[in-house]
Structure formats: structure tokens, C-alpha cells
Amino acid sequence: MTEDVINVKTNPLSIGCPRAGCKCTIIRPGAATLVRRSSSSSSSSSGESQASPAAADGGASVTDGNNGGGSSALPGIGAPDIKLSSIDNVPSQIANLFTQPSSSTTADAMDGWFWMLTDMMDFENVGFSHSVGSVKYLSCADCDLAPLGYHDTEQAKTGAKEFLIAADRAVYR
């Protein structure tokens, strides 16, 4: 698995649910570390469209019909149908963390970046799906919007527990 950490940067703002009207805080400021995961390690190997784990789990999901609009791929489902209308309105404290000269937009720059926690108790408010293979998808505990991130249970068996929230699937307050 390819991993990049940007000078051990932590989230300067609260990370929240992207659903309009939901004010859920998922991670408190300073609790998560910004990491990058290569798309080859976090995307489905098949090119087939797969169902959202939220739908299989009875949770809610947001769709816009464009297969993700550049959202980070999650294991087993690739980039699901979730697009955040506010992705280009990311606060400067967050946008400045994603400095990549080759990226033309904030959405491109944020692709593949995740906020990582190593202890599930560090979340302020998050839900977990049933296992889908070796992956548990993370959702908003208030409104069940999913997937916002994931936890690989196979990787956890090696002692490397990490819980990842996609940087481009959250709002910052």
C-alpha cells in the first residue's frame, strides 16, 4: 500500500457530515492525520459498478448520477455516487494542505487523501457498516450518509489499525 503523510498535518477544523442540514461533527480539530492512499490500493479491481454499502446496510446515500465526480475511491466500490456541491468552497486552512502543482482544482488535489485515526474512540460521531469482505464502511451516525470512509479489518489484524475518512467527502467547520 502506498502511503504519503504530509508532514504529519492534523485537521485544523472540525470534520463533519456533508449532507445539507446535517450538523454532525465526525472528527474534532487536531484528532486526525492527513494521509494519501494510492487508488490502486483502495479501489475495486473490477470495472463493474457496485452497490453502495449503505444501500446494502439500510443506510442513506447521496447520488447524482455521475459516479463520484472525482471522489476518492474506497475499497470494493471504487468511487460511489456521491458528489459534494461545496467541494470547491473548502476553507483555505484545509485547501492549503493539498498543495499539488499538477492539480487544477481543489477537487483534483483532494483526490486520494484521507483523514486517518488509529483508534475508533477518537471519532466524535461515526457509524460502521457490517463487514463487506474485509472492509467496514464509515457513515454519519446522525443521518446515515455513507460511505464517508472505511476501515480494513484485514489490515487491522496485522496491528496497523486505521480508520479513514475521505477528505473530499466531508465538510469543514
Side-chain angles (χ1 to χ4, degrees):
M1 174 181 294
T2 300
E3 176 181 338
D4 293 325
V5 178
I6 303 180
N7 299 326
V8 191
K9 291 185 180 175
T10 60
N11 56 310
L13 301 172
S14 292
I15 297 171
C17 177
R19 176 169 275 159
C22 183
K23 301 296 181 196
C24 179
T25 296
I26 297 170
I27 303 174
R28 290 181 307 275
T33 303
L34 188 62
V35 297
R36 185 172 184 127
R37 297 288 181 259
S38 69
S39 60
S40 62
S41 67
S42 64
S43 62
S44 174
S45 58
S46 72
E48 300 174 23
S49 175
Q50 298 180 14
S52 165
D57 225 20
S61 64
V62 173
T63 60
D64 66 356
N66 76 347
N67 295 326
S71 292
S72 296
L74 299 178
I77 59 171
D81 292 338
I82 181 171
K83 181 179 178 183
L84 310 180
S85 60
S86 62
I87 196 69
D88 291 320
N89 298 323
V90 173
S92 62
Q93 300 100 308
I94 300 296
N96 291 338
L97 297 176
F98 305 99
T99 306
Q100 293 183 356
S102 62
S103 298
S104 58
T105 68
T106 304
D108 291 339
M110 293 175 73
D111 189 34
W113 291 99
F114 294 85
W115 293 106
M116 180 184 73
L117 294 173
T118 56
D119 184 348
M120 67 187 269
M121 299 307 289
D122 289 339
F123 282 104
E124 182 71 17
N125 203 5
V126 73
F128 288 81
S129 71
H130 293 288
S131 292
V132 179
S134 67
V135 175
K136 288 185 178 255
Y137 293 97
L138 308 180
S139 66
C140 172
D142 285 354
C143 72
D144 290 331
L145 179 70
L148 300 177
Y150 70 98
H151 168 64
D152 187 342
T153 58
E154 283 297 315
Q155 184 181 23
K157 290 178 184 176
T158 66
K161 280 191 175 181
E162 57 182 31
F163 303 87
L164 301 163
I165 296 289
D168 61 352
R169 296 185 189 185
V171 295
Y172 303 92
R173 301 182 184 106

